[in-house]
Amino acid sequence: MLLNLLMTCTPLASAVELQYADGIIAHLDSIVHQYIGSHSLQPLRLMLTGPPAAGKSSLASRLAQQYQLQLVSVKTILAAVDDLGGSTKQEVQAELGGKGGHVSDGNMVKLCSHVLSKRDMSMKGFVLEGWPKTPEQAEQLFTQEQPYMPEERQRLEALRVTQATAAAAAAATQPAAAKGKTAKPDPKGKAAAKPELPKRHSPIASLFPTHVISLEAPEPTLLSRCLALGEQEQAAAKAAAAAAAAAEGKPVGATAGKGKSKEPAGPLTHNNDKDFKRRYAAYKTSHEGDTASQSAFQAAQQLWWDDKRSLLEAAAAAEAEAAKAASAQSMRLTALATMKSMGPGGFAATMGRHGGAYLTARSAAATPIPLPAESVGGSRAGTPPQPQPAAAALAAHLQQGVPRVQYGGLLGVLAAHHAQVLVVDTNQPQGLEGVVSAVTSHVGPPHNYSGFQPAAVDSQPADVSRPAAASDAADMAVEHAAAPQEKQLTAAQVRLRPKLIAAALNLA
């Protein structure tokens, strides 16, 4: 069958520049990121934190199943040591085999960032639980320090000294005022010590959590959960040992070389009273500085807010001076143009009747304004001046005010970079189901992608027995044959139509 297709050429408005000249495979990651950005897809990165026995592992498992995300625990992080290899693997193995069996924060950051940077997690998201536990660990894993520029550091240090001096003066006058005395000035004239600037960090976009779930419960409730979990582990271990012994035909708990039997002791578990108290004490210690860090975060926000305000004030002042100078220049040019068009006598008479209002109206108007008095100062006196960008930004900044810091410690580090924080009390009658309901209602529906529109599903499966071109040609032939004809077909055409359809269906 011969198909004669009519084609027309359309010139392009501009030359086409190939963005991925080396092929799709070589730039697959870039193409995927471009697709995610163009479709406004947002990976869902969840992080769970809380004291021991708060239910982090159970909730993480449910959320990973609910949102179809990878679950990343401390066990998953340590298992990635084989992927890195080299000196990192040797260091981690030495740390695990040493006293205490703790891996350093630096190596945990390497392992965790390697796991979370895998393609499926960076594109879709993850559920992270168990680590990091401290604000320092979170900063090392999720952020990178953003140094100050020299002029910026100088400006902030001067502002910080001013703030510290004012605070010291206010603190010195308070006790004296309480006793009805006047504070004496420092005879030596010592200047306030130059305080250190707060460290500034920027989040790593591919790793930083979008949502942080903090679980809380009273200490007695946590202890009872821990002991109950330990008993369940012991019972499960004993049942497994008994089943293995019965399968081998040995007495339960029989030892080699002796026919005696005894109850299996079960594995050692950290879910006991002593281990819980140790872990809970470490958790409390890591959160002792939350209040102080919250105050430090608030002071840093105040410093950066004041610095931005001073910059906007300077820009608004310069903008006002420029506008004033431009207005004066416009008035001078208008006066010269008006004098030239009217002549000295007419210009003097007009200025005598209307004064400077006429020049102001002419300089503000887009087109020259006629002489009649009713037009001067009226609706045709020109458009109002446009608002200045720096002045508008300054007004918005002052109206917004200093951002309020709600959390300190680990939650404060994450909330400072716009992670959505949800604190959930797990000591509720609904148990785990109530916690899951609270979290899912906060996070949103599964695959919480903004602007994502699933593709329409074709209800008619494609015929895979024929090539695509043959299938399309056959469909077109059938549709053309089934379409109503405007004129009566001849007998020859009627006889020929089934042959055309059969030929199209038999294309290979």
Side-chain angles (χ1 to χ4, degrees):
M1 182 178 179
L2 179 62
L3 297 178
N4 187 9
L5 302 179
L6 179 62
M7 296 185 179
T8 58
C9 297
T10 302
L12 297 177
S14 59
V16 178
E17 182 179 355
L18 296 179
Q19 188 174 2
Y20 306 110
D22 297 337
I24 295 179
I25 302 300
H27 302 277
L28 189 57
D29 289 341
S30 300
I31 293 174
V32 172
H33 282 291
Q34 182 180 4
Y35 178 85
I36 290 175
S38 61
H39 288 75
S40 300
L41 302 183
Q42 176 62 48
L44 189 59
R45 297 183 288 269
L46 305 177
M47 175 182 165
L48 276 65
T49 182
K56 298 186 295 294
S57 299
S58 301
L59 179 60
S61 179
R62 288 288 299 272
L63 293 178
Q65 182 180 5
Q66 176 84 4
Y67 292 100
Q68 296 296 304
L69 299 174
Q70 292 288 336
L71 174 59
V72 181
S73 62
V74 176
K75 184 178 180 180
T76 309
I77 297 173
L78 294 178
V81 67
D82 294 330
D83 298 340
L84 295 181
S87 60
T88 303
K89 181 178 180 180
Q90 298 176 358
E91 292 177 6
V92 172
Q93 290 177 345
E95 290 170 346
L96 290 174
K99 185 177 180 180
H102 295 295
V103 181
S104 62
D105 290 348
N107 286 329
M108 284 295 291
V109 168
K110 293 179 183 178
L111 294 173
C112 191
S113 60
H114 171 74
V115 173
L116 300 182
S117 298
K118 293 183 178 179
R119 178 173 296 173
D120 55 344
M121 299 189 194
S122 61
M123 301 302 175
K124 192 175 180 181
F126 53 79
V127 179
L128 175 63
E129 68 94 7
W131 204 87
K133 298 181 179 180
T134 65
E136 294 78 15
Q137 294 171 350
E139 287 182 345
Q140 293 181 47
L141 176 60
F142 296 129
T143 67
Q144 53 188 358
E145 188 172 355
Q146 184 179 359
Y148 295 104
M149 300 298 292
E151 62 277 5
E152 186 181 19
R153 174 175 291 276
Q154 183 179 5
R155 188 177 66 247
L156 288 173
E157 285 178 349
L159 182 59
R160 194 64 180 266
V161 169
T162 303
Q163 293 178 345
T165 304
T173 56
Q174 286 179 357
K179 297 179 181 179
K181 299 179 181 179
T182 304
K184 297 181 180 180
D186 187 1
K188 298 182 180 180
K190 293 182 179 180
K194 184 172 68 174
E196 295 183 359
L197 294 180
K199 292 183 178 181
R200 186 174 57 182
H201 296 83
S202 58
I204 301 176
S206 60
L207 300 180
F208 202 84
T210 58
H211 297 77
V212 180
I213 314 300
S214 178
L215 304 181
E216 293 183 350
E219 183 179 358
T221 302
L222 298 175
L223 178 59
S224 63
R225 289 178 185 173
C226 182
L227 297 179
L229 184 59
E231 293 176 357
Q232 293 177 5
E233 292 176 349
Q234 294 285 348
K238 291 178 181 179
E248 296 178 0
K250 297 180 180 180
V252 177
T255 57
K258 297 182 180 180
K260 300 179 181 180
S261 63
K262 60 181 180 180
E263 285 290 323
L268 294 176
T269 174
H270 64 276
N271 290 314
N272 53 61
D273 182 78
K274 181 179 179 181
D275 225 12
F276 169 80
K277 291 180 178 179
R278 177 188 60 81
R279 290 184 292 148
Y280 189 76
Y283 172 80
K284 296 292 288 184
T285 302
S286 64
H287 287 268
E288 286 179 351
D290 286 4
T291 303
S293 64
Q294 182 178 358
S295 301
F297 292 155
Q298 189 64 60
Q301 292 293 338
Q302 180 70 51
L303 176 67
W304 294 327
W305 188 88
D306 288 342
D307 179 59
K308 185 176 181 180
R309 182 192 62 181
S310 63
L311 292 177
L312 289 176
E313 287 175 347
E319 197 174 63
E321 289 295 329
K324 185 178 179 181
S327 177
Q329 179 68 11
S330 177
M331 290 286 288
R332 286 193 295 269
L333 295 177
T334 303
L336 292 176
T338 306
M339 184 184 298
K340 183 177 181 180
S341 62
M342 293 182 176
F347 178 73
T350 302
M351 292 298 293
R353 290 196 303 269
H354 304 292
Y358 180 71
L359 290 180
T360 303
R362 285 185 64 92
S363 63
T367 57
I369 298 176
L371 272 177
E374 62 269 16
S375 66
V376 179
S379 60
R380 298 179 61 186
T383 57
Q386 297 295 325
Q388 303 297 331
L394 176 60
H397 182 68
L398 295 176
Q399 183 179 6
Q400 182 182 8
V402 183
R404 181 173 174 269
V405 178
Q406 297 182 351
Y407 306 98
L410 177 61
L411 297 182
V413 170
L414 300 173
H417 301 289
H418 309 293
Q420 299 185 31
V421 178
L422 176 64
V423 180
V424 182
D425 185 6
T426 61
N427 188 26
Q428 50 180 291
Q430 296 84 359
L432 180 60
E433 296 299 327
V435 176
V436 172
S437 177
V439 173
T440 53
S441 62
H442 172 74
V443 174
H447 305 296
N448 190 22
Y449 296 144
S450 61
F452 177 72
Q453 296 293 335
V457 180
D458 190 359
S459 58
Q460 306 247 354
D463 187 357
V464 296
S465 61
R466 294 176 292 160
S471 178
D472 295 339
D475 294 339
M476 292 175 62
V478 173
E479 291 176 2
H480 178 73
Q485 303 296 323
E486 295 182 358
K487 61 182 181 178
Q488 186 69 26
L489 296 176
T490 63
Q493 289 174 333
V494 171
R495 290 193 301 269
L496 182 60
R497 186 173 63 181
K499 295 181 181 181
L500 290 175
I501 297 175
L505 292 175
N506 292 327
L507 285 176

